[in-house]
Amino acid sequence: MTGVEHYLSIFTKAVFIENIVLAYFLGLCSFLAISKKIDASVGIGLAVIVVLTITAPINWFLWEFLLDKGALVWISQDFKDTDLGFLKLIVFISVIAAMVQLVEMFMERFSQSLYNSLGIFLPLIAVNCSILGGSLFMVEREYTISETVVYGFGSGVGFFLAIVALASIRYRIRYSNIPPRLRGVGMAMLLTGLLSMAFMAFSGIDL
Amino acid sequence: MELFNSESKKIVSDPINVNNPISLQVLGICSALAVTIRLDQAIIMTLAVVFVLCSSNVILSLIRNYIPTRVRIVIMLSVIASLVSVVDELLKAYLYDMSKQLSVFVGLIITNCIIMGRAEAFALKHGPSKAFLDGLGNSMGYGLIIIVVSFFRELFGAGTITLPDGGAGYVLWRIPESWYAAGYENIGLLVLSPGAFIILGLVIWIQREFAGVEEDA
């Protein structure tokens, strides 16, 4: 596969076939907690898209030029056996926490309206597993930099789609007669199961 | 403080039942689903979480008076990330097959909300021995749920029960061939992601029936 097609296939895969929430179970905590309201879901969905698209490439650079085995050869050949891979968790999570803080400050300065709508969700995102998961999958699948950008953005869109869909379903069933102990999270899990079954239908698509 | 008085028993037993981290506090769901395809993965994951949660609670509770409130999140994250790195390296060294199967989900213990949640809600406000008990109770409550979920997913999805050993897992029991010959079939859907969501949804329902809690939504 060449050029655009290849990136299109990574994107579609990240959004539909290997949806980060419905197939890999990442970011479920905020997914369940916030999907009670539609506007809030849209807000956190957008924030996840922004943060994932920014942090995945940054972590790619750190992995490629600092942490991977033999990544330090650009300093000197003596480092060609140095493997700092065990530091990746600490480095990635610090980058994510720092980026989230930066994005928040940036938004506050330049786009007050966006800040007002996304502001409260940004700190939550630092501990959203989908962000760290995106970086870890990027390392495990050995993506190149441009593939990483597409993958990060695609995963964000996948999260957005899933959370808005669940929020809309939960809104629809507000007045349904659900057994009292199943209400809330239990019902949300069953709905997510059905949603994930629907998304599995995409897995037949061969790209 | 007396270690085994009723108050400390309550700290341990509450999170296992009436205040279960997964079904009632709704924390740490992500990993709860991903590692429940097989029972042995769930058991190893439980041990990893017990270790990380107990140690992080104790460490953070010991230094709680020196942490400035504004930067506490970064400090919590770095303590947790160091502990998780230790677990990750230990698994790679002694249980290589298992660490391959769990792939990124060991690393994701860092962002497992149970750890941060308990640090924030409990460890930063109580002494180390209570924090340890709280960590123990919560990680066992977590373990209880994921072990139940993985037991059903593996038994009905793949037809086996696997216990952890040094290598790829020891198969304790397998549905005999004669059952398949008689028309029994595995439910393949349970191994896939929708099965995980649905089983966990049902387990949460049953657990809430036992705990007698309901939610308005």
Side-chain angles (χ1 to χ4, degrees):
Chain A
M1 256 183 284
T2 51
V4 186
E5 245 178 73
H6 178 59
Y7 295 114
L8 210 60
S9 113
I10 291 188
F11 181 76
T12 343
K13 244 182 152 167
V15 178
F16 296 109
I17 306 173
E18 292 175 351
N19 186 295
I20 203 155
V21 182
L22 300 172
Y24 285 109
F25 315 111
L26 298 178
L28 271 174
C29 305
S30 38
F31 180 74
L32 291 172
I34 292 167
S35 61
K36 277 179 195 157
K37 292 204 189 89
I38 296 186
D39 354 336
S41 308
V42 173
I44 196 158
L46 290 176
V48 166
I49 295 181
V50 172
V51 175
L52 249 177
T53 323
I54 295 174
T55 53
I58 293 180
N59 282 337
W60 184 87
F61 275 110
L62 285 170
W63 175 253
E64 211 65 9
F65 293 110
L66 200 64
L67 300 173
D68 197 6
K69 189 170 193 252
L72 286 169
V73 284
W74 58 274
I75 301 179
S76 133
Q77 278 300 326
D78 304 343
F79 292 122
K80 73 176 185 311
D81 289 327
T82 321
D83 183 359
L84 293 178
F86 64 93
L87 284 177
K88 76 175 174 212
L89 295 176
I90 297 188
V91 172
F92 285 0
I93 197 75
S94 337
V95 167
I96 291 168
M99 277 322 294
V100 167
Q101 198 84 64
L102 258 178
V103 170
E104 192 182 353
M105 278 150 60
F106 189 82
M107 270 187 191
E108 193 179 6
R109 175 78 180 74
F110 291 105
S111 169
Q112 201 65 43
S113 61
L114 199 61
Y115 178 76
N116 288 339
S117 54
L118 294 188
I120 46 162
F121 300 117
L122 282 167
L124 284 179
I125 287 180
V127 286
N128 184 322
C129 0
S130 58
I131 313 284
L132 183 61
S135 293
L136 292 176
F137 274 126
M138 170 269 296
V139 167
E140 205 175 74
R141 296 177 188 167
E142 299 173 347
Y143 282 147
T144 64
I145 176 70
S146 36
E147 285 172 338
T148 304
V149 176
V150 175
Y151 174 72
F153 180 67
S155 306
V157 174
F159 183 87
F160 178 84
L161 212 65
I163 196 170
V164 174
L166 181 66
S168 321
I169 303 177
R170 285 180 85 170
Y171 184 77
R172 289 281 301 191
I173 62 161
R174 262 190 317 178
Y175 299 111
S176 321
N177 189 12
I178 304 167
R181 304 269 155 79
L182 185 60
R183 271 177 211 158
V185 184
M187 198 58 211
M189 291 304 294
L190 296 188
L191 290 173
T192 317
L194 295 177
L195 209 58
S196 135
M197 228 184 270
F199 268 67
M200 266 179 63
F202 289 111
S203 64
I205 300 173
D206 194 20
L207 282 166
Chain B
M1 189 194 85
E2 181 76 38
L3 194 62
F4 290 105
N5 58 18
S6 63
E7 193 197 346
S8 35
K9 254 188 219 142
K10 200 168 139 53
I11 296 179
V12 182
S13 64
D14 261 11
I16 296 179
N17 187 24
V18 292
N19 199 14
N20 189 290
I22 292 190
S23 60
L24 295 155
Q25 305 174 43
V26 201
L27 299 173
I29 308 260
C30 325
S31 58
L33 291 162
V35 299
T36 50
I37 292 185
R38 277 180 27 199
L39 185 59
D40 57 335
Q41 293 180 2
I43 293 175
I44 297 289
M45 190 68 179
T46 306
L47 294 178
V49 170
V50 169
F51 170 77
V52 173
L53 187 51
C54 292
S55 336
S56 79
N57 260 6
V58 169
I59 293 172
L60 287 169
S61 144
L62 281 174
I63 60 172
R64 69 185 187 282
N65 294 329
Y66 306 100
I67 304 178
T69 332
R70 298 198 59 170
V71 293
R72 69 182 189 287
I73 303 230
V74 180
I75 293 175
M76 288 186 322
L77 273 180
S78 44
V79 169
I80 296 167
S82 323
L83 288 165
V84 173
S85 299
V86 171
V87 171
D88 197 22
E89 296 294 311
L90 277 177
L91 278 182
K92 273 189 197 141
Y94 294 105
L95 291 169
Y96 188 71
D97 292 333
M98 184 53 78
S99 89
K100 274 281 151 219
Q101 285 168 19
L102 292 176
S103 86
V104 301
F105 293 102
V106 178
L108 289 173
I109 298 179
I110 298 179
T111 49
N112 189 321
C113 351
I114 295 184
I115 320 259
M116 283 283 273
R118 293 324 293 173
E120 176 90 18
F122 199 92
L124 292 183
K125 299 190 186 92
H126 295 82
S129 52
K130 275 189 189 169
F132 174 80
L133 293 175
D134 179 73
L136 194 67
N138 276 287
S139 46
M140 297 214 302
Y142 167 87
L144 182 74
I145 299 272
I146 70 168
I147 285 173
V148 169
V149 171
S150 66
F151 176 80
F152 286 110
R153 277 185 81 189
E154 193 187 353
L155 182 62
F156 294 113
T160 52
I161 296 174
T162 317
L163 291 180
D165 66 357
Y170 164 74
V171 179
L172 184 72
W173 189 75
R174 185 186 294 281
I175 289 180
E177 283 301 321
S178 54
W179 290 26
Y180 292 114
Y184 176 83
E185 275 193 43
N186 287 327
I187 311 169
L189 188 68
L190 288 187
V191 184
L192 302 170
S193 33
F197 286 116
I198 291 170
I199 294 268
L200 185 62
L202 295 177
V203 168
I204 288 178
W205 184 10
I206 295 166
Q207 210 278 333
R208 287 188 173 186
E209 287 289 343
F210 276 118
V213 189
E214 57 189 74
E215 185 181 339
D216 48 280

